[in-house]
Structures are given as C-alpha cells and as structure tokens.
Amino acid sequence: MQKLALFRLHLIVFLWGFTAILGKLIHANAQILVFYRMLFAAVFLFAFIRIYKKESIKISKKIFFQLAGIGCAMALHWYCFFYSIKVSNVSIALSCLSLSTLFASILEPVIFKRKIDISEVVMGVVIVACILLIFKTEFHFKEGIIYGILCAVFGTIFSVFNGKMFGKTSSGNIIFYEIFCGWFVLAIFYMFTGQIFQMNEINYRDLALICLLASVFTAFPMLESVKLMKYISPFTLILTVNLEPVYGIILAFFIFGESEEMSHIFYVASGVMILAIIVNGLIKARKQKNFN
C-alpha cells in the first residue's frame, strides 16, 4: 500500500507541476485566475460529494472555522504562485517552492510536537543558499522570487495544518470547505476593494482553461493528497512536492522555449536543491528501515 501511495503521490505532483503551465497559458491576471479556479473547484467538489458519492457535507462549527483558516492560506498560496509566474516565469515560481522543505522542517515539529530533525534543517539551509544564489543571478526577476517565497510559506502552512485535519471529517469535506471558504474570503475582499467588478474581464478561452485547471489539476489531486495523509506524513508530502519544479521546468522549457531559458547558475542551483531533497529522502528512508 505504501508503494501505491507513493505512485499516486508522484502522479498528483506531476499534475500540480502542469498547473504552472496552465497559469502561463491563461491570460487573465492572478486575482481573476485564483477567484475562478477556487469557485469552479468548489462546484466540482460539491457535485462529486453530494451528487456522485451522495455523502453528507455536514461538519461542526469548530472544524468549519479550522478549515476556513486553512482555506485562506491556500488562497494566498495560489495567488502568490500565479502572480510570481505572471511577473517572472514558470521556472522562477517553481524553483522557489523548494523552500517549503525548510519551512516544513521548522513548522511541522511544532505542530505535531516532535523533535526537529537536524538533517531537515541542514537541507533547508542548503536550499536557502541556492535560492539566494538564484536571487543574485536572476535579480531582474526579484518580484517573482519574492512572491515565489511567499507562495512557499503559505503552501507549507496549508500542507502542515491539513495534516492535522485528517480523520476529523471526510477527505472530500476537508478539501471542499477549504477551497470554498478560500474563495468566499476572496469574494468578500474583492467586494470591499471594488475588484469584484474586474471578475467579468475574462474571455471564454481562459474560462475553459480554468475549468480544466479546477477539475483535473485541482479538485482531483487535492482529494488524493488528503487521502494520502493516511499513509504518508506531511513532510513526505512536501518533500515529494519539491519534484514539482522538475516536472514543471522541463515542461515549460519544451512548451514555451526561449522565455523559460535561464542562466547556467540557475540550473546548477536548482540541481543542488533537488539533489539535497533526494539525499535527505534516502537518509530518512534508511533511518526508518533501521528503526523498523
């Protein structure tokens, strides 16, 4: 079952890697993109849970507000991710996601009340050094890098706290309320700022692509990721998610060509980050084997 869970995990990470490609193909700005992505995903999830599975979506007030808070982190994560792509490119946005490993190595032990793993922190420091090197080399993409780092922060908060929610209600309810509440908070914010009137500034092509993004590349993998919490830890999830840049950067290079070409230092730094993640995974696997 563990091997099947890892296969499913890599499949959804590949799908997540392709979201960056769709983010660049969609011409709408990050605000509009995230607004409709969360709206459509919530509709798809509601239809799946209530109509197809015929399951209840009733939850307690306590769980509702907990999921609402996580949903806000999710919305901020997605906004920062797509904004980073819009102001820089897919490669920059995806490479910054590797910082999630460092943030997880600090946040997860606090939330789950376990000791900090020194190897995780060391790996995190290596990743930070690589990000700083990329920042220095690709300084013209500084805004994209900053938002990419914020994307990693909010993504880590979302993933770690999601792990705490497993078992409190069904996986479908967890992800449905997170996405719906995230969208609802965005809608309220846009209403107060007047941005809600910009939501109609979108063409049918973008709507179709966002529909695809919300269903195949959002609702399905999000449901799977929550189900996988039964077999893997949040750190393992975040660790494997760090392969998302590999899938995304390779796809972006072949699809978009020159606009995704980066300096040699960028690829060296990205390679070192990926190597650090793989080495850390091997160390943890050996420790787990010896423990068993």
Side-chain angles (χ1 to χ4, degrees), residues 59-66:
I59 58 174
S60 68
K61 288 183 179 180
K62 180 181 179 181
I63 293 177
F64 173 81
F65 286 113
Q66 289 173 338

Side-chain angles (χ1 to χ4, degrees), residues 35-206:
F35 179 85
Y36 283 109
R37 180 191 191 182
M38 300 192 85
L39 173 60
F40 292 161
V43 171
F44 288 136
L45 287 166
F46 181 83
F48 176 78
I49 297 168
R50 292 294 293 139
I51 299 174
Y52 180 74
K53 299 286 287 187
K54 300 185 184 304
E55 295 177 354
S56 172
I57 60 171
K58 187 177 180 180
I59 58 174
S60 68
K61 288 183 179 180
K62 180 181 179 181
I63 293 177
F64 173 81
F65 286 113
Q66 289 173 338
L67 293 176
I70 298 172
C72 290
M74 179 196 293
L76 289 169
H77 165 67
W78 283 346
Y79 171 77
C80 291
F81 178 67
F82 289 114
Y83 188 82
S84 177
I85 291 173
K86 298 296 183 181
V87 298
S88 56
N89 60 28
V90 170
S91 299
I92 288 292
L94 288 174
S95 64
C96 290
L97 281 179
S98 298
L99 279 170
S100 298
T101 305
L102 172 63
F103 301 139
S105 70
I106 298 169
L107 183 60
E108 188 185 334
V110 174
I111 301 302
F112 286 86
K113 298 179 181 179
R114 67 168 176 82
K115 291 182 179 180
I116 293 178
D117 190 324
I118 299 301
S119 66
E120 293 176 6
V121 177
V122 170
M123 181 185 62
V125 171
V126 171
I127 291 173
V128 169
C130 292
I131 289 293
L132 289 174
L133 187 60
I134 290 174
F135 190 88
K136 182 179 180 180
T137 308
E138 309 291 345
F139 190 73
H140 54 292
F141 287 137
K142 60 182 182 298
E143 188 177 8
I145 294 173
I146 291 171
Y147 275 90
I149 293 171
L150 289 174
C151 167
V153 171
F154 291 120
T156 303
I157 293 172
F158 160 71
S159 297
V160 172
F161 279 96
N162 227 21
K164 291 285 286 183
M165 298 306 299
F166 179 78
K168 294 185 177 181
T169 183
S170 69
S171 58
N173 282 350
I174 288 174
I175 205 63
F176 166 69
Y177 279 106
E178 285 173 349
I179 291 180
F180 173 76
C181 290
W183 169 80
F184 186 75
V185 171
L186 280 180
I188 296 298
F189 176 76
Y190 290 160
M191 285 180 65
F192 278 102
T193 59
Q195 296 180 64
I196 194 69
F197 299 107
Q198 298 175 14
M199 296 304 114
N200 63 350
E201 297 175 4
I202 185 170
N203 57 45
Y204 290 115
R205 172 189 174 278
D206 280 353

Side-chain angles (χ1 to χ4, degrees), residues 180-250:
F180 173 76
C181 290
W183 169 80
F184 186 75
V185 171
L186 280 180
I188 296 298
F189 176 76
Y190 290 160
M191 285 180 65
F192 278 102
T193 59
Q195 296 180 64
I196 194 69
F197 299 107
Q198 298 175 14
M199 296 304 114
N200 63 350
E201 297 175 4
I202 185 170
N203 57 45
Y204 290 115
R205 172 189 174 278
D206 280 353
L207 279 174
L209 287 175
I210 293 175
C211 247
L212 182 65
L213 175 64
S215 54
V216 178
F217 298 94
T218 302
F220 169 70
M222 292 300 290
L223 277 171
E224 280 290 284
S225 68
V226 177
K227 290 179 183 177
L228 289 174
M229 286 295 181
K230 182 178 180 180
Y231 308 102
I232 59 177
S233 70
F235 183 80
T236 301
L237 173 63
I238 294 172
L239 189 70
T240 309
V241 165
N242 277 280
L243 290 175
E244 183 179 337
V246 179
Y247 300 134
I249 290 172
I250 292 173

